[in-house]
Amino acid sequence: MPERPAAPEVQLQTVPPRLPPRQAAENFVAVAQAMEPRIRAECQARTQGHRNCDYRIVAYDRRGSSPNAFQMVDREGRPVIALNLALIAEARNPDELAFVMGHEGAHHILGHLQAKAADAQAGALVMGVLAAAAGADADGIAEAQDIGADVGERSYSQDYELQADHLGTIISWDAGFDPVRGAEFFARLPDPGEAFLATHPPNRLRLKLVKRTVETLEEKGVPRGTPPAGLS
C-alpha cells in the first residue's frame, strides 16, 4: 500500500502570559495618558467643534464580568471611554489597550451612539405600525415596538464596529502603538461568527480590516507616532 502523506504541521499561536497586576495597572494609566490627547485631536479635527471632544478614560469594576469596554456620554456631555478591570487584566501588552481605547473613542467621533438610537427608533416605529395594522392591542403593539427597537439597533451594529476598528487603527497608529499587535486581542475573544443580527462582526473580518488599514497607512507614507517610553 502506498504510504499515507504526512499530516501538515500545525502552527500553534502562543498566547503571551498575563501581566502581573501592578504592570497591567501601570500600562493602563500610561496608555490612557498617551491615547487621550490623540483621540481628542482626532475628534476635534473630524468634528470641527460639533461634538464634545473632552474625553475621560476610566476603569471600572463589576464582579464576575468578562472583559468589556464601552463608550458613553456623562451628565456633563463629556465622552467617556470605560474599560473594566477584567479587560485590563486580560490585555497582554500596551498595544491591545491602545487599540481598545482608540476603537471606543472612534464610536463617539463617528456618532454611533446617536445613529444606533435613531436605528432603534425607526425599527420600533415600523414594527409598531405593522402590529397595529394587524389588529394587535396596546400590549401587542408595545411588544412589537420593543422587538423592532432591538432589531433596528442591531441592523447596522457590525458596520459601526468595523468603522470604529478602522478609525481606531489610525488613532492608535498616530499615538505610536502597533494596531495589528493590538488587534490580536480579538483572537482571545469568543467569535460571533456569522450569527444573524450579531452586534459584532466575525473576528477574522476585523483583523483583516486592521491589517489592511495599516498597509494603507504605510503605502501613503504616514509615519507611526512615537510610543510612550517605559511600557511593556
Side-chain angles (χ1 to χ4, degrees), residues 13-89:
Q13 184 177 7
T14 303
V15 178
R18 283 192 174 195
L19 299 174
R22 180 173 179 175
Q23 182 64 60
E26 290 175 350
N27 280 356
F28 170 78
V29 173
V31 172
Q33 290 175 343
M35 286 294 293
E36 192 279 330
R38 289 307 316 159
I39 299 171
R40 182 175 68 249
E42 192 72 29
C43 178
Q44 292 170 339
R46 288 177 179 260
T47 65
Q48 297 293 309
H50 296 294
R51 206 175 296 281
N52 188 331
C53 297
D54 187 15
Y55 282 84
R56 292 173 55 219
I57 301 178
V58 301
Y60 73 98
D61 187 21
R62 185 170 295 166
R63 287 186 178 274
S65 60
S66 56
N68 189 39
F70 63 88
Q71 183 265 315
M72 59 172 285
V73 175
D74 67 15
R75 294 179 180 178
E76 286 73 42
R78 292 182 65 185
V80 177
I81 298 170
L83 284 68
N84 71 355
L85 297 186
L87 187 149
I88 295 170

Side-chain angles (χ1 to χ4, degrees), residues 32-194:
Q33 290 175 343
M35 286 294 293
E36 192 279 330
R38 289 307 316 159
I39 299 171
R40 182 175 68 249
E42 192 72 29
C43 178
Q44 292 170 339
R46 288 177 179 260
T47 65
Q48 297 293 309
H50 296 294
R51 206 175 296 281
N52 188 331
C53 297
D54 187 15
Y55 282 84
R56 292 173 55 219
I57 301 178
V58 301
Y60 73 98
D61 187 21
R62 185 170 295 166
R63 287 186 178 274
S65 60
S66 56
N68 189 39
F70 63 88
Q71 183 265 315
M72 59 172 285
V73 175
D74 67 15
R75 294 179 180 178
E76 286 73 42
R78 292 182 65 185
V80 177
I81 298 170
L83 284 68
N84 71 355
L85 297 186
L87 187 149
I88 295 170
E90 179 63 28
R92 301 301 203 259
N93 54 66
D95 298 297
E96 294 184 352
L97 290 172
F99 184 82
V100 171
M101 293 177 191
H103 172 93
E104 297 301 335
H107 277 310
H108 177 71
I109 297 171
L110 297 170
H112 287 162
L113 280 182
Q114 296 83 349
K116 290 179 73 173
D119 294 340
Q121 186 176 24
L125 177 62
V126 170
M127 290 296 287
V129 169
L130 290 175
D137 59 15
D139 289 340
I141 292 173
E143 183 178 357
Q145 288 174 329
D146 289 342
I147 294 172
D150 184 57
V151 172
E153 185 175 1
R154 291 169 180 265
S155 296
Y156 298 101
S157 287
Q158 294 196 24
D159 291 338
Y160 298 152
E161 293 301 322
L162 291 173
Q163 291 168 12
D165 284 343
H166 173 72
L167 181 54
T169 297
I170 294 172
I171 295 171
S172 56
W173 175 269
D174 289 343
F177 296 95
D178 182 347
V180 174
R181 186 176 183 230
E184 289 175 358
F185 187 75
F186 294 144
R188 301 194 304 280
L189 295 178
D191 195 333
E194 305 290 347

